[in-house]
Amino acid sequence: MSTGATRIVALDGPSGSGKSTVARKVAARLGWRYVDTGASYRAATLAALRAGVDLDDADAVLASVRTARIELSTDPEQPGTWLDGEDISDAIRGPEVTSAVSAVSAVPAVRAHLVELQRVLAGRDGAVLEGRDIATAVMPDAQVKVYLDASPQVRASRRAAEQHAGVTPGGSPASLVSTVAEDLARRDRLDSSRAADPLRPSPDAVHLDSSQLDAAAVVDLVLDLARDAGLVS
Ligand code: DC
């Protein structure tokens, strides 16, 4: 087992690739912290929206984010996000935040501010971080780097099923899938084309495609990588 640097598994990829589920399960299996960096960008976005600032005004966005108290649970069994003490775990998944988050996360100074928070949250005893730039920017020294992807169709179906859960068990209407597919394509485009730490695979990341794999199979592959890297016995 490695004894030097903090043990880190970095899991990057686009929305709907399954990385949140996998990251949580891997962290739970290892007894490590779980850091959902997307939730920190979503919380920052809600802070900016509530402050009523113009999202094109980078200085105003940064000021609203800096004054906000953003807190994340790192317990993979009980994830949660708070803004100034209020539980915003559900609010940050809503359409308002989802459509504004790419603009807020494109501001370099907002990223620098949140990366600092993400590194503190990771602690020193082992953590699984998931996001878009973990391997390239947040934790470039992570011992395990995984880039998880899936076909656009599979990703859209998964996200639509999450949004539709509990309404019509067993499937999502085609219209919802196509709306979600459009939103994912828009965010992929924005997240991959921004100047500051865009979504792109780290050259040293292991690529996994989850289109044909369930979460349990991907979790096992990531745990194998952690073992191969000497992070766990
Ligand atoms: O993973 P998610 O869908 O909750 O992320 C929401 C947005 O946050 C995503 O569209 C891009 C941004 N993000 C980012 O820029 N960098 C990260 N490490 C994580 C998320």
Side-chain angles (χ1 to χ4, degrees):
M1 187 176 298
S2 120
T3 50
T6 307
R7 294 167 297 167
I8 299 289
V9 171
L11 199 49
D12 290 303
S15 310
S17 57
K19 64 184 188 309
S20 296
T21 308
V22 170
R24 279 176 60 181
K25 286 183 193 260
V26 169
R29 288 270 289 273
L30 296 176
W32 290 5
R33 292 182 180 204
Y34 161 66
V35 183
D36 174 1
T37 63
S40 70
Y41 287 99
R42 288 173 178 273
T45 303
L46 189 60
L49 289 172
R50 286 190 175 172
V53 301
D54 174 359
L55 296 186
D56 292 326
D57 181 343
D59 291 340
V61 170
L62 177 63
S64 66
V65 173
R66 273 190 179 283
T67 50
R69 185 157 50 93
I70 294 171
E71 294 167 297
L72 268 72
S73 159
T74 56
D75 178 351
E77 312 279 5
Q78 304 240 298
T81 310
W82 292 263
L83 175 60
D84 297 328
E86 177 191 340
D87 187 342
I88 54 162
S89 309
D90 292 334
I92 58 170
R93 305 290 160 194
E96 256 201 311
V97 169
T98 299
S99 60
V101 68
S102 290
V104 172
S105 56
V107 178
V110 168
R111 301 195 69 78
H113 179 71
L114 293 179
V115 165
E116 223 172 278
L117 169 70
Q118 293 157 14
R119 289 183 179 145
V120 170
L121 289 170
R124 306 216 48 85
D125 300 327
V128 181
L129 286 84
E130 58 132 323
R132 305 290 190 290
D133 61 342
I134 308 303
T136 52
V138 183
M139 292 289 177
D141 296 330
Q143 298 90 345
V144 173
K145 298 180 175 182
V146 173
Y147 188 85
L148 188 61
D149 209 346
S151 71
Q153 183 59 36
V154 167
R155 292 167 47 213
S157 302
R158 282 183 188 149
R159 272 290 145 103
E162 278 166 26
Q163 289 178 16
H164 201 57
V167 182
T168 314
S172 316
S175 63
L176 179 59
V177 176
S178 72
T179 310
V180 170
E182 274 168 34
D183 177 60
L184 287 186
R186 183 185 67 84
R187 281 207 289 144
D188 284 356
R189 209 170 44 247
L190 292 169
D191 295 342
S192 320
S193 63
R194 69 171 176 238
D197 297 323
L199 168 65
R200 68 185 153 84
S202 180
D204 52 354
V206 175
H207 287 239
L208 296 177
D209 189 312
S210 70
S211 305
Q212 311 285 338
L213 296 172
D214 63 13
V218 180
V219 168
D220 286 342
L221 287 170
V222 176
L223 289 172
D224 283 346
L225 292 170
R227 262 177 231 111
D228 291 349
L231 295 185
V232 284
S233 44

